[in-house]
Amino acid sequence: MTTYNSFGIIEATERFEMEQIISYLIAIKSAAKAIHYRTYGEKFWGDHLLVDRVADDLDDFIDEIFENYYLGKSEDAPQQKVVMSGASGLIPLVDNDIEKDFGLLDELVVNCLSELQMLAEANQDLTLGDNDLMGRISSDLQKKHGFIWRRIKK
């Protein structure tokens, strides 16, 4: 449930949860790009394009969160240093084990989906716009999870 302080500002819990979503999206994009530049071998071109596809649209979703969720509610957006710090703790170190790297990327995607689900379930007072935005992000990430899963499925 969304709670507000005496000034009508969203309490820290929901703000923190949304900052976590932003951090996850940044981490997913960063991990995808790290893999993008380290792909090799027979599957190079397909892997190279797949991780580009995973990174696609994430900047737009991040921008929408800042503009719709924070500014649209007359809230100050979180500082970049805060969300980047959160993201840096989530970004996995990729190496030359491409299967492992894709697994780590997929883990980030699944964890972000889980965070979105928990945020939606725990905060019944989210606006229609908030729910729409989280639904579009979830749909996009679910599709990307499927692409990664197909890539690493044995």
Side-chain angles (χ1 to χ4, degrees):
M1 171 186 269
T2 305
T3 55
Y4 296 88
N5 66 19
S6 61
F7 298 105
I9 296 175
I10 300 170
E11 288 292 333
T13 304
E14 186 179 315
R15 282 187 64 91
F16 174 75
E17 291 170 348
M18 195 56 81
E19 287 172 11
Q20 273 291 102
I21 300 301
I22 295 168
S23 293
Y24 265 108
L25 295 175
I26 292 168
I28 292 166
K29 181 182 176 190
S30 296
K33 284 302 189 178
I35 296 169
H36 174 84
Y37 297 120
R38 296 180 65 91
T39 58
Y40 60 90
E42 293 177 10
K43 297 181 181 179
F44 164 78
W45 190 244
D47 288 348
H48 190 77
L49 295 177
L50 172 58
V51 288
D52 255 354
R53 182 101 183 250
V54 170
D56 283 349
D57 301 322
L58 297 182
D59 283 334
D60 290 336
F61 285 133
I62 292 165
D63 190 53
E64 279 193 71
I65 292 171
F66 278 109
E67 291 177 354
N68 294 357
Y69 183 81
Y70 294 105
L71 302 181
K73 294 180 178 179
S74 302
E75 293 282 327
D76 287 331
Q79 294 290 326
Q80 287 294 308
K81 187 171 186 170
V82 171
V83 293
M84 294 304 284
S85 176
S88 71
L90 296 170
I91 300 169
L93 183 62
V94 299
D95 56 26
N96 287 333
D97 183 346
I98 198 72
E99 301 297 323
K100 177 182 162 199
D101 295 341
F102 270 109
L104 293 170
L105 177 61
D106 194 45
E107 186 177 316
L108 276 177
V109 171
V110 169
N111 288 344
C112 187
L113 282 165
S114 181
E115 290 284 332
L116 282 161
Q117 187 67 39
M118 286 189 300
L119 178 62
E121 289 173 359
N123 296 287
Q124 302 301 317
D125 295 333
L126 293 171
T127 67
L128 290 174
D130 296 337
N131 285 317
D132 173 66
L133 176 57
M134 289 190 305
R136 287 184 291 116
I137 294 169
S138 293
S139 178
D140 184 71
L141 291 177
Q142 190 169 336
K143 176 176 55 179
K144 291 172 180 180
H145 162 65
F147 293 156
I148 298 167
W149 175 79
R150 291 299 293 183
R151 166 59 181 84
I152 60 178
K153 181 182 175 197
K154 302 266 184 209

